[in-house]
Amino acid sequence: MRNLIITIILIIVLGIFSYCNYVNNNFDNDLFNSILGTIIGGLFLSLIFFLLYDFIYKIPNISGEWEFTEKTLKTAYNPYKNLEVKYLALIWNEGNKIYGSGEKIYEKNTKEEINYEGDKRTIIDINGYLRKRYFWYDEIVIHYSEEGRKRKSSTIHKVELKSKVFSGSFFKTAANSSGTVVWNKKKYE
């Protein structure tokens, strides 16, 4: 389909150039040539911008199964320092808007490692947006709410999209925690 569209566009462009050549050779009116050249140039430039937006700088599809790991570096509650928490998330994007849900699956602190199974997993609701950048990695801002064992908390991730990996920082209202986060896309087997 993409090749067909590119072929049609090339035929249209060649037709426009042929017509311009015909007009230039058969008419002697400078004003007419100037106006026609401006119109055709504007149409050609618009076509180039649409092609760039649709084929080269398109919004990436990040829908799928992801696992993300948060490592707490700063916190108001000392036992959370160096805490590593993993979540499994299913996300989808509609344009630049991101939606999804997930579960806490793993936690490692200075005293123990916990693998959460079944009803021990806490559920998170995810939403966010993708900011398209043309000269650097795309930026993703994700917010999720979690109903913890003691209270509800909110977390913001600000990450950059690098192929199948997002990496960046997070801030969590639970104990005013912050640190690093890495998202990895899961492969289906």
Side-chain angles (χ1 to χ4, degrees):
M1 182 70 175
R2 180 181 279 178
N3 290 338
L4 177 65
I5 292 172
I6 292 172
T7 303
I8 291 170
I9 290 170
L10 287 174
I11 290 170
I12 291 170
V13 168
L14 289 173
I16 289 171
F17 283 124
S18 294
Y19 182 71
C20 289
N21 192 27
Y22 170 76
V23 168
N24 192 32
N25 290 335
N26 295 319
F27 294 98
D28 216 13
N29 188 341
D30 287 338
L31 179 61
F32 177 76
N33 287 341
S34 177
I35 292 171
L36 183 64
T38 301
I39 291 171
I40 291 173
L43 290 173
F44 185 68
L45 194 57
S46 298
L47 180 66
I48 289 172
F49 284 131
F50 283 119
L51 287 174
L52 286 173
Y53 183 77
D54 284 347
F55 295 108
I56 297 173
Y57 295 113
K58 62 183 176 182
I59 293 175
N61 180 6
I62 60 169
S63 300
E65 183 181 13
W66 292 80
E67 183 178 281
F68 66 90
T69 305
E70 297 174 344
K71 177 140 181 155
T72 304
L73 301 177
K74 293 181 183 177
T75 180
Y77 183 58
N78 208 32
Y80 286 174
K81 189 146 184 146
N82 295 319
L83 177 67
E84 186 178 301
V85 182
K86 289 185 182 180
Y87 294 83
L88 183 63
L90 298 175
I91 62 172
W92 70 93
N93 65 306
E94 297 173 5
N96 67 337
K97 293 185 180 169
I98 299 169
Y99 307 96
S101 61
E103 300 176 345
K104 183 193 291 187
I105 59 171
Y106 173 83
E107 186 174 305
K108 178 182 175 186
N109 58 36
T110 55
K111 297 179 184 174
E112 62 184 338
E113 275 186 59
I114 304 168
N115 284 306
Y116 293 105
E117 298 292 333
D119 63 351
K120 302 292 185 213
R121 292 182 174 185
T122 57
I123 305 297
I124 60 173
D125 291 317
I126 299 169
N127 58 54
Y129 67 91
L130 188 147
R131 189 176 84 169
K132 185 73 188 149
R133 291 179 174 169
Y134 296 102
F135 298 109
W136 197 247
Y137 297 113
D138 296 333
E139 180 182 67
I140 298 174
V141 176
I142 293 176
H143 170 264
Y144 71 83
S145 300
E146 179 177 7
E147 190 70 50
R149 290 178 290 199
K150 296 182 181 179
R151 70 178 189 92
K152 189 173 185 176
S153 66
S154 287
T155 304
I156 293 275
H157 290 181
K158 190 173 183 182
V159 295
E160 290 182 335
L161 174 60
K162 299 176 181 177
S163 68
K164 302 288 185 214
V165 176
F166 310 161
S167 60
S169 60
F170 77 90
F171 177 80
K172 185 179 291 238
T173 58
N176 292 326
S177 302
S178 63
T180 60
V181 63
V182 176
W183 286 68
N184 290 296
K185 189 153 191 177
K186 303 273 284 180
K187 292 183 180 179
Y188 293 106
E189 303 194 21

